[in-house]
Amino acid sequence: MTAPVALVTGGARGIGAAVCRRLAATGHRVVVLDVCDTDEVLEYPLATMADLEATVDACGPSAEGVVCDVRDGEAIARIVADLDRLDVVVAAAGVVWGGVPLWETPDRAWETVVDVNARGVFNTVRAAVPALMERPAPRSGRIVALASAASTRGLLHLGAYSAAKHAVVGLVRSLAADLADSGVTVNAVAPGSTDTEILAASASVYDLGSPGEFAAHHPIGRLIDPDEVAAAVEWLCGPSASGVTGAVIAVDGGMGAV
């Protein structure tokens, strides 16, 4: 039997890269997708080809890196069509923009944040679900989307980001209902402030001296490590989570409990 295949968007760095490494360690052939390009709307650098290559190297010889923008649904569909099988999908691609009240958010900023964070998940699952359903019954396909602590609350001057992450949760729950009797589970993981490049970008929104200042919102008193989020994703992708679907798993250091 061939090894199960996992497709991970936003996999070149941060939480996505940590997910790729964990899935590779559990025997998956990992297809690592990332845009590896700049975006003039965003005020921070996105992942690079060097980041993508480093993640692929860390995942071993069976891993593959693919440059892809999740806003391009046709491109994702072509990538999925080229796979010989698909077992796991992790939608981890995401961007952040903010710094002004919602009504002052420029159209292009709104479109970029919502297109990547919400439409990108839609594009990914729309391409992936038919491939997951091709697996013979009893199926054990897995879909996990990265939401956020912002998916359950409003965040000052991050209206587009919060709205997009709320949309991810709605998408996950609806898709879980659509696939309820299929053997394919659909869940979300909602990280708190995680020590990644995107958190550094969020710190600049609030003029913080360091991303570490976000730890004040976590009862555990520290930032979340990307691998801690990846551990939750790994569990949801495994056989032990077969009874979990339509759930939102918080990995937020207790942020949602207070």
Side-chain angles (χ1 to χ4, degrees), residues 176-189:
D178 289 339
L179 293 171
D181 61 353
S182 70
V184 177
T185 64
V186 190
N187 294 288
V189 172

Side-chain angles (χ1 to χ4, degrees), residues 13-182:
R13 69 181 187 185
I15 293 171
V19 169
C20 290
R21 293 190 295 268
R22 277 190 168 265
L23 292 179
T26 56
H28 291 80
R29 289 189 288 140
V30 182
V31 182
V32 187
L33 270 62
D34 216 303
V35 66
C36 297
D37 198 3
T38 59
D39 190 306
E40 61 185 20
V41 173
L42 303 174
E43 298 177 351
Y44 64 96
L46 301 179
T48 65
M49 282 299 301
D51 294 324
L52 180 63
E53 292 166 0
T55 299
V56 170
D57 288 345
C59 291
S62 65
E64 176 186 3
V66 181
V67 175
C68 180
D69 188 331
V70 293
R71 292 173 289 189
D72 188 343
E74 293 182 357
I76 295 177
R78 289 193 297 270
I79 292 165
V80 171
D82 286 342
L83 300 176
D84 59 352
R85 64 181 288 174
L86 184 61
D87 303 87
V88 169
V89 177
V90 180
V95 297
V96 67
W97 187 96
V100 298
L102 181 62
W103 64 90
E104 295 180 9
T105 302
D107 288 348
R108 293 186 65 193
W110 173 271
E111 290 161 2
T112 296
V113 172
V114 173
D115 276 0
V116 174
N117 293 345
R119 186 180 174 203
V121 177
F122 168 69
N123 286 339
T124 301
V125 300
R126 179 171 59 177
V129 167
L132 292 168
M133 295 295 287
E134 288 179 359
R135 302 298 303 153
R139 299 183 191 89
S140 57
R142 300 286 186 266
I143 298 172
V144 180
L146 266 293
S148 167
S151 64
T152 57
R153 62 184 65 199
L155 296 180
L156 177 68
H157 292 175
L158 284 173
Y161 182 77
S162 182
K165 290 300 186 179
H166 274 71
V168 169
V169 169
L171 184 154
V172 162
R173 288 174 170 159
S174 294
L175 184 59
D178 289 339
L179 293 171
D181 61 353
S182 70

